[in-house]
Amino acid sequence: MTSVAFLKACGTLILVCYIAALVQLYEEPEKPGNAIDYVRTAFGSPTPAEFDSLVEEKKELLATIEDMKKEIEELSNKVHELENPPEEGEGDAPLE
């Protein structure tokens, strides 16, 4: 399939999905307050409330990742210290 044919097929598919969403909106007994949000939801987009929830979850996960990175660094330092103990006379001698 050439790129032109692919673009035509995608355009046709998008048009079919858009028309289906509009027909679904037209047949809805109780019309929503915001038609654009309705069509977005028909295309699989999250609702504004779901989006806010996802953003909050992302923030929490990023914070968890940062905490885990710090913990990994601390544990890596401990492992390094245990694998390479300072030799006698190093670091413990008083400074003059």
Side-chain angles (χ1 to χ4, degrees), residues 19-65:
I19 290 171
L22 291 176
V23 168
Q24 187 179 1
L25 175 62
Y26 177 78
E27 293 174 348
E28 188 72 30
E30 293 183 26
K31 304 294 184 223
N34 190 340
I36 294 174
D37 284 342
Y38 184 87
V39 172
R40 285 181 184 155
T41 303
F43 270 84
S45 176
T47 63
E50 291 172 334
F51 182 78
D52 292 341
S53 173
L54 291 171
V55 168
E56 185 61 35
E57 182 180 357
K58 178 185 173 188
K59 288 179 184 177
E60 291 171 4
L61 291 172
L62 288 173
T64 301
I65 289 171

Short mmCIF file of all heavy atoms in Angstrom, two decimals, residues 19-65:
data_model
loop_
_atom_site.label_atom_id
_atom_site.label_comp_id
_atom_site.label_asym_id
_atom_site.label_seq_id
_atom_site.Cartn_x
_atom_site.Cartn_y
_atom_site.Cartn_z
N ILE A 19 -18.54 10.44 11.79
CA ILE A 19 -19.96 10.40 11.45
C ILE A 19 -20.71 9.51 12.43
O ILE A 19 -21.82 9.86 12.87
CB ILE A 19 -20.15 9.93 9.99
CG1 ILE A 19 -19.66 11.02 9.04
CG2 ILE A 19 -21.61 9.58 9.70
CD1 ILE A 19 -19.59 10.61 7.59
N ALA A 20 -20.13 8.37 12.80
CA ALA A 20 -20.77 7.48 13.76
C ALA A 20 -20.96 8.19 15.11
O ALA A 20 -22.00 8.04 15.75
CB ALA A 20 -19.95 6.21 13.94
N ALA A 21 -19.97 8.96 15.53
CA ALA A 21 -20.09 9.70 16.80
C ALA A 21 -21.18 10.75 16.71
O ALA A 21 -21.95 10.94 17.66
CB ALA A 21 -18.76 10.35 17.15
N LEU A 22 -21.27 11.43 15.58
CA LEU A 22 -22.32 12.45 15.42
C LEU A 22 -23.71 11.82 15.37
O LEU A 22 -24.67 12.36 15.94
CB LEU A 22 -22.07 13.28 14.16
CG LEU A 22 -20.86 14.22 14.21
CD1 LEU A 22 -20.66 14.91 12.88
CD2 LEU A 22 -21.00 15.24 15.34
N VAL A 23 -23.84 10.67 14.70
CA VAL A 23 -25.13 9.97 14.66
C VAL A 23 -25.51 9.53 16.08
O VAL A 23 -26.67 9.68 16.49
CB VAL A 23 -25.06 8.76 13.70
CG1 VAL A 23 -26.28 7.85 13.87
CG2 VAL A 23 -24.95 9.24 12.26
N GLN A 24 -24.53 9.01 16.82
CA GLN A 24 -24.78 8.60 18.20
C GLN A 24 -25.23 9.79 19.04
O GLN A 24 -26.16 9.68 19.84
CB GLN A 24 -23.50 7.98 18.78
CG GLN A 24 -23.67 7.37 20.13
CD GLN A 24 -22.35 6.75 20.62
OE1 GLN A 24 -21.33 6.80 19.95
NE2 GLN A 24 -22.39 6.16 21.79
N LEU A 25 -24.60 10.93 18.83
CA LEU A 25 -25.00 12.16 19.54
C LEU A 25 -26.41 12.57 19.16
O LEU A 25 -27.21 12.94 20.01
CB LEU A 25 -24.01 13.29 19.23
CG LEU A 25 -24.33 14.67 19.79
CD1 LEU A 25 -24.36 14.63 21.31
CD2 LEU A 25 -23.30 15.68 19.32
N TYR A 26 -26.73 12.48 17.88
CA TYR A 26 -28.06 12.86 17.39
C TYR A 26 -29.13 11.97 18.01
O TYR A 26 -30.22 12.43 18.35
CB TYR A 26 -28.10 12.76 15.86
CG TYR A 26 -29.46 13.06 15.27
CD1 TYR A 26 -29.91 14.36 15.15
CD2 TYR A 26 -30.28 12.02 14.83
CE1 TYR A 26 -31.16 14.64 14.62
CE2 TYR A 26 -31.53 12.28 14.30
CZ TYR A 26 -31.96 13.59 14.19
OH TYR A 26 -33.20 13.85 13.66
N GLU A 27 -28.82 10.67 18.17
CA GLU A 27 -29.80 9.72 18.68
C GLU A 27 -29.86 9.70 20.20
O GLU A 27 -30.73 9.03 20.77
CB GLU A 27 -29.46 8.32 18.16
CG GLU A 27 -29.65 8.19 16.66
CD GLU A 27 -29.19 6.86 16.10
OE1 GLU A 27 -28.50 6.09 16.83
OE2 GLU A 27 -29.50 6.59 14.92
N GLU A 28 -28.98 10.42 20.85
CA GLU A 28 -28.95 10.48 22.32
C GLU A 28 -30.24 11.16 22.81
O GLU A 28 -30.54 12.29 22.41
CB GLU A 28 -27.73 11.26 22.78
CG GLU A 28 -27.48 11.24 24.25
CD GLU A 28 -26.96 9.91 24.75
OE1 GLU A 28 -26.28 9.19 24.00
OE2 GLU A 28 -27.26 9.58 25.90
N PRO A 29 -31.02 10.48 23.71
CA PRO A 29 -32.27 11.10 24.17
C PRO A 29 -32.03 12.37 25.00
O PRO A 29 -32.76 13.35 24.87
CB PRO A 29 -32.94 10.02 24.99
CG PRO A 29 -31.93 8.97 25.23
CD PRO A 29 -30.82 9.16 24.24
N GLU A 30 -31.01 12.34 25.84
CA GLU A 30 -30.68 13.52 26.63
C GLU A 30 -29.38 14.08 26.10
O GLU A 30 -28.31 13.48 26.25
CB GLU A 30 -30.53 13.16 28.11
CG GLU A 30 -31.84 12.72 28.76
CD GLU A 30 -31.67 12.44 30.24
OE1 GLU A 30 -30.75 13.01 30.87
OE2 GLU A 30 -32.45 11.64 30.76
N LYS A 31 -29.47 15.21 25.47
CA LYS A 31 -28.29 15.82 24.83
C LYS A 31 -27.31 16.31 25.90
O LYS A 31 -27.71 16.92 26.89
CB LYS A 31 -28.69 17.00 23.94
CG LYS A 31 -29.70 16.66 22.87
CD LYS A 31 -29.13 15.71 21.86
CE LYS A 31 -30.13 15.47 20.74
NZ LYS A 31 -30.23 14.09 20.35
N PRO A 32 -26.02 16.03 25.71
CA PRO A 32 -25.02 16.51 26.67
C PRO A 32 -24.83 18.02 26.52
O PRO A 32 -25.17 18.61 25.50
CB PRO A 32 -23.76 15.75 26.26
CG PRO A 32 -23.95 15.41 24.83
CD PRO A 32 -25.43 15.24 24.64
N GLY A 33 -24.28 18.61 27.56
CA GLY A 33 -24.04 20.05 27.54
C GLY A 33 -22.93 20.47 26.58
O GLY A 33 -22.96 21.57 26.05
N ASN A 34 -21.97 19.59 26.35
CA ASN A 34 -20.84 19.93 25.50
C ASN A 34 -20.67 18.84 24.44
O ASN A 34 -20.22 17.74 24.72
CB ASN A 34 -19.57 20.06 26.35
CG ASN A 34 -18.41 20.64 25.58
OD1 ASN A 34 -18.38 20.62 24.35
ND2 ASN A 34 -17.44 21.15 26.31
N ALA A 35 -21.04 19.15 23.21
CA ALA A 35 -20.99 18.17 22.12
C ALA A 35 -19.55 17.76 21.80
O ALA A 35 -19.29 16.61 21.45
CB ALA A 35 -21.67 18.73 20.88
N ILE A 36 -18.62 18.69 21.93
CA ILE A 36 -17.22 18.37 21.62
C ILE A 36 -16.69 17.32 22.58
O ILE A 36 -16.02 16.36 22.17
CB ILE A 36 -16.35 19.65 21.63
CG1 ILE A 36 -16.78 20.56 20.48
CG2 ILE A 36 -14.88 19.30 21.54
CD1 ILE A 36 -16.11 21.90 20.47
N ASP A 37 -16.99 17.47 23.87
CA ASP A 37 -16.55 16.46 24.84
C ASP A 37 -17.20 15.12 24.55
O ASP A 37 -16.59 14.06 24.71
CB ASP A 37 -16.87 16.90 26.27
CG ASP A 37 -15.92 17.97 26.78
OD1 ASP A 37 -14.83 18.12 26.19
OD2 ASP A 37 -16.27 18.64 27.77
N TYR A 38 -18.45 15.15 24.11
CA TYR A 38 -19.15 13.91 23.78
C TYR A 38 -18.45 13.19 22.63
O TYR A 38 -18.22 11.99 22.68
CB TYR A 38 -20.61 14.21 23.42
CG TYR A 38 -21.43 12.97 23.15
CD1 TYR A 38 -22.06 12.32 24.19
CD2 TYR A 38 -21.55 12.46 21.87
CE1 TYR A 38 -22.81 11.17 23.96
CE2 TYR A 38 -22.30 11.31 21.62
CZ TYR A 38 -22.92 10.68 22.67
OH TYR A 38 -23.65 9.55 22.43
N VAL A 39 -18.10 13.93 21.58
CA VAL A 39 -17.43 13.34 20.43
C VAL A 39 -16.04 12.84 20.83
O VAL A 39 -15.61 11.76 20.42
CB VAL A 39 -17.35 14.35 19.26
CG1 VAL A 39 -16.48 13.82 18.13
CG2 VAL A 39 -18.75 14.65 18.74
N ARG A 40 -15.34 13.60 21.65
CA ARG A 40 -14.03 13.15 22.14
C ARG A 40 -14.15 11.84 22.89
O ARG A 40 -13.33 10.92 22.72
CB ARG A 40 -13.41 14.20 23.05
CG ARG A 40 -12.86 15.39 22.34
CD ARG A 40 -12.24 16.35 23.32
NE ARG A 40 -11.78 17.55 22.64
CZ ARG A 40 -11.63 18.72 23.22
NH1 ARG A 40 -11.91 18.86 24.51
NH2 ARG A 40 -11.21 19.76 22.53
N THR A 41 -15.17 11.73 23.74
CA THR A 41 -15.40 10.50 24.50
C THR A 41 -15.74 9.35 23.55
O THR A 41 -15.29 8.22 23.76
CB THR A 41 -16.52 10.70 25.53
OG1 THR A 41 -16.17 11.80 26.37
CG2 THR A 41 -16.73 9.47 26.38
N ALA A 42 -16.51 9.64 22.50
CA ALA A 42 -16.85 8.60 21.52
C ALA A 42 -15.60 8.10 20.81
O ALA A 42 -15.53 6.93 20.42
CB ALA A 42 -17.85 9.15 20.51
N PHE A 43 -14.60 8.95 20.66
CA PHE A 43 -13.34 8.55 20.03
C PHE A 43 -12.40 7.87 21.02
O PHE A 43 -11.31 7.45 20.66
CB PHE A 43 -12.63 9.77 19.42
CG PHE A 43 -13.00 10.04 18.00
CD1 PHE A 43 -14.12 10.77 17.69
CD2 PHE A 43 -12.21 9.56 16.96
CE1 PHE A 43 -14.47 11.02 16.37
CE2 PHE A 43 -12.54 9.81 15.65
CZ PHE A 43 -13.68 10.54 15.35
N GLY A 44 -12.81 7.79 22.28
CA GLY A 44 -12.00 7.10 23.27
C GLY A 44 -11.20 8.02 24.17
O GLY A 44 -10.41 7.55 25.00
N SER A 45 -11.36 9.30 24.03
CA SER A 45 -10.65 10.26 24.87
C SER A 45 -11.25 10.24 26.28
O SER A 45 -12.45 10.05 26.44
CB SER A 45 -10.77 11.65 24.27
OG SER A 45 -10.17 12.62 25.09
N PRO A 46 -10.43 10.43 27.30
CA PRO A 46 -10.98 10.45 28.66
C PRO A 46 -11.82 11.71 28.89
O PRO A 46 -11.60 12.75 28.27
CB PRO A 46 -9.74 10.46 29.56
CG PRO A 46 -8.65 11.01 28.72
CD PRO A 46 -8.98 10.61 27.31
N THR A 47 -12.77 11.60 29.80
CA THR A 47 -13.56 12.77 30.18
C THR A 47 -12.66 13.72 30.96
O THR A 47 -11.58 13.32 31.43
CB THR A 47 -14.75 12.34 31.06
OG1 THR A 47 -14.25 11.77 32.27
CG2 THR A 47 -15.65 11.35 30.34
N PRO A 48 -13.08 14.98 31.13
CA PRO A 48 -12.25 15.91 31.91
C PRO A 48 -11.94 15.40 33.32
O PRO A 48 -10.82 15.55 33.80
CB PRO A 48 -13.08 17.19 31.94
CG PRO A 48 -13.88 17.14 30.68
CD PRO A 48 -14.20 15.68 30.49
N ALA A 49 -12.90 14.76 33.96
CA ALA A 49 -12.66 14.22 35.31
C ALA A 49 -11.65 13.08 35.26
O ALA A 49 -10.75 12.98 36.11
CB ALA A 49 -13.97 13.75 35.92
N GLU A 50 -11.79 12.20 34.25
CA GLU A 50 -10.83 11.11 34.10
C GLU A 50 -9.44 11.64 33.80
O GLU A 50 -8.44 11.13 34.28
CB GLU A 50 -11.27 10.16 32.98
CG GLU A 50 -12.51 9.36 33.29
CD GLU A 50 -13.03 8.60 32.09
OE1 GLU A 50 -12.79 9.01 30.94
OE2 GLU A 50 -13.69 7.57 32.31
N PHE A 51 -9.38 12.69 32.98
CA PHE A 51 -8.10 13.29 32.63
C PHE A 51 -7.42 13.85 33.87
O PHE A 51 -6.22 13.62 34.09
CB PHE A 51 -8.30 14.40 31.59
CG PHE A 51 -7.02 15.04 31.15
CD1 PHE A 51 -6.19 14.43 30.24
CD2 PHE A 51 -6.64 16.28 31.66
CE1 PHE A 51 -5.01 15.01 29.83
CE2 PHE A 51 -5.45 16.87 31.28
CZ PHE A 51 -4.64 16.23 30.35
N ASP A 52 -8.18 14.57 34.70
CA ASP A 52 -7.61 15.12 35.94
C ASP A 52 -7.11 13.99 36.85
O ASP A 52 -6.05 14.11 37.46
CB ASP A 52 -8.65 15.97 36.67
CG ASP A 52 -8.98 17.25 35.93
OD1 ASP A 52 -8.17 17.66 35.06
OD2 ASP A 52 -10.05 17.84 36.20
N SER A 53 -7.87 12.91 36.90
CA SER A 53 -7.46 11.76 37.71
C SER A 53 -6.17 11.15 37.18
O SER A 53 -5.28 10.80 37.95
CB SER A 53 -8.58 10.71 37.70
OG SER A 53 -8.16 9.54 38.33
N LEU A 54 -6.06 11.05 35.85
CA LEU A 54 -4.84 10.51 35.24
C LEU A 54 -3.64 11.41 35.49
O LEU A 54 -2.53 10.93 35.74
CB LEU A 54 -5.05 10.31 33.74
CG LEU A 54 -6.01 9.19 33.36
CD1 LEU A 54 -6.31 9.23 31.86
CD2 LEU A 54 -5.45 7.84 33.75
N VAL A 55 -3.85 12.72 35.44
CA VAL A 55 -2.76 13.67 35.70
C VAL A 55 -2.28 13.52 37.14
O VAL A 55 -1.07 13.49 37.41
CB VAL A 55 -3.20 15.12 35.41
CG1 VAL A 55 -2.19 16.12 35.94
CG2 VAL A 55 -3.40 15.32 33.91
N GLU A 56 -3.21 13.40 38.08
CA GLU A 56 -2.86 13.23 39.49
C GLU A 56 -2.12 11.91 39.70
O GLU A 56 -1.11 11.86 40.41
CB GLU A 56 -4.12 13.27 40.36
CG GLU A 56 -3.84 13.23 41.84
CD GLU A 56 -3.00 14.40 42.33
OE1 GLU A 56 -3.13 15.51 41.80
OE2 GLU A 56 -2.19 14.17 43.25
N GLU A 57 -2.59 10.85 39.04
CA GLU A 57 -1.92 9.55 39.15
C GLU A 57 -0.51 9.62 38.59
O GLU A 57 0.42 9.04 39.16
CB GLU A 57 -2.73 8.49 38.41
CG GLU A 57 -2.16 7.10 38.51
CD GLU A 57 -2.97 6.06 37.76
OE1 GLU A 57 -4.03 6.39 37.20
OE2 GLU A 57 -2.53 4.90 37.74
N LYS A 58 -0.35 10.35 37.49
CA LYS A 58 0.99 10.51 36.89
C LYS A 58 1.92 11.21 37.87
O LYS A 58 3.08 10.80 38.04
CB LYS A 58 0.89 11.31 35.60
CG LYS A 58 2.24 11.56 34.95
CD LYS A 58 2.12 12.46 33.74
CE LYS A 58 3.49 12.83 33.21
NZ LYS A 58 3.43 13.84 32.16
N LYS A 59 1.44 12.28 38.53
CA LYS A 59 2.26 12.99 39.50
C LYS A 59 2.70 12.06 40.63
O LYS A 59 3.86 12.08 41.05
CB LYS A 59 1.50 14.19 40.08
CG LYS A 59 1.34 15.33 39.12
CD LYS A 59 0.55 16.46 39.75
CE LYS A 59 0.28 17.58 38.78
NZ LYS A 59 -0.55 18.64 39.37
N GLU A 60 1.76 11.25 41.12
CA GLU A 60 2.07 10.32 42.21
C GLU A 60 3.10 9.29 41.75
O GLU A 60 4.04 8.96 42.49
CB GLU A 60 0.80 9.62 42.68
CG GLU A 60 -0.17 10.54 43.41
CD GLU A 60 -1.51 9.88 43.69
OE1 GLU A 60 -1.68 8.67 43.38
OE2 GLU A 60 -2.41 10.57 44.20
N LEU A 61 2.94 8.78 40.54
CA LEU A 61 3.88 7.79 40.03
C LEU A 61 5.27 8.38 39.82
O LEU A 61 6.28 7.73 40.09
CB LEU A 61 3.35 7.17 38.74
CG LEU A 61 2.12 6.27 38.90
CD1 LEU A 61 1.56 5.88 37.53
CD2 LEU A 61 2.43 5.04 39.72
N LEU A 62 5.33 9.63 39.33
CA LEU A 62 6.63 10.28 39.15
C LEU A 62 7.32 10.48 40.50
O LEU A 62 8.54 10.31 40.61
CB LEU A 62 6.47 11.60 38.42
CG LEU A 62 6.14 11.49 36.93
CD1 LEU A 62 5.84 12.87 36.34
CD2 LEU A 62 7.25 10.81 36.16
N ALA A 63 6.53 10.83 41.53
CA ALA A 63 7.11 10.99 42.87
C ALA A 63 7.63 9.64 43.39
O ALA A 63 8.71 9.57 43.99
CB ALA A 63 6.07 11.56 43.83
N THR A 64 6.88 8.58 43.13
CA THR A 64 7.31 7.24 43.54
C THR A 64 8.60 6.85 42.83
O THR A 64 9.51 6.28 43.44
CB THR A 64 6.21 6.21 43.22
OG1 THR A 64 5.02 6.59 43.91
CG2 THR A 64 6.62 4.82 43.66
N ILE A 65 8.69 7.18 41.55
CA ILE A 65 9.91 6.88 40.79
C ILE A 65 11.10 7.61 41.38
O ILE A 65 12.18 7.03 41.55
CB ILE A 65 9.72 7.25 39.30
CG1 ILE A 65 8.77 6.26 38.63
CG2 ILE A 65 11.06 7.27 38.57
CD1 ILE A 65 8.34 6.65 37.24
#
